[in-house]
Amino acid sequence: EIGTIIRSLGCCPSEGELHDLLAEVEEEEPTGYIRYEKFLPVMTKVLLERRYRPIPEDVLLRAFEVLDSAKRGFLTKEELIKYMTEEGEPFSQEEMEEMLSAAIDPDSNSINYKEYIAMMVIDEN
């Protein structure tokens, strides 16, 4: 649940960064719980340092455009699954299902990535 809490505060850590943060706030003998007294100062520092900021909209768009070599303006569900699970830091099954539920248009079975990016972007103002 810590990842959900951190993301609800406008932070977007990678899974690796999230694991590092968890290691910092966990007890020496992990219990499955995080003590608020230990979490608060670490999270306050993260927020003050503006760590884990979201990727800007133009960078996300360029990334999707690289994947869309045919310049169609969309990726099929199969293409999206392939890129997200086989390249870079692969998505877990849960992350993939969550993304698909939000990103894929059920009528076309594809992702119009410009619409998806507009939905994902956090307004910093």
Side-chain angles (χ1 to χ4, degrees):
E1 297 168 333
I2 293 295
T4 302
I5 293 168
I6 292 169
R7 290 180 181 106
S8 76
L9 294 170
C11 297
C12 300
S14 69
E15 283 302 304
E17 291 168 329
L18 183 57
H19 286 288
D20 292 345
L21 191 65
L22 282 170
E24 197 174 335
V25 296
E26 272 184 329
E27 297 299 319
E28 288 188 30
E29 292 294 320
T31 62
Y33 295 95
I34 304 297
R35 287 187 30 244
Y36 178 75
E37 296 78 22
K38 202 162 185 180
F39 177 75
L40 182 61
V42 171
M43 198 61 220
T44 300
K45 185 176 180 202
V46 164
L47 291 170
L48 289 173
E49 291 175 356
R50 300 180 58 80
R51 271 196 268 167
Y52 314 131
R53 299 310 312 148
I55 297 171
E57 186 173 357
D58 62 319
V59 175
L60 286 172
L61 180 59
R62 284 197 310 268
F64 275 108
E65 287 173 342
V66 166
L67 299 176
D68 178 21
S69 58
K71 307 295 180 225
R72 301 169 299 184
F74 68 90
L75 296 171
T76 66
K77 180 179 179 179
E78 293 74 24
E79 290 171 324
L80 186 63
I81 290 170
K82 179 183 184 306
Y83 292 134
M84 296 297 127
T85 59
E86 297 177 13
E87 307 289 331
E89 184 177 329
F91 275 33
S92 68
Q93 182 68 33
E94 182 182 341
E95 290 170 318
M96 195 69 247
E97 287 171 8
E98 193 174 318
M99 182 179 190
L100 291 174
S101 71
I104 296 295
D105 175 359
D107 296 329
S108 66
N109 212 27
S110 64
I111 173 179
N112 177 318
Y113 50 81
K114 287 181 183 175
E115 290 176 10
Y116 181 61
I117 290 169
M119 180 180 71
M120 282 191 329
V121 170
I122 296 171
D123 186 5
E124 292 274 323
N125 298 325

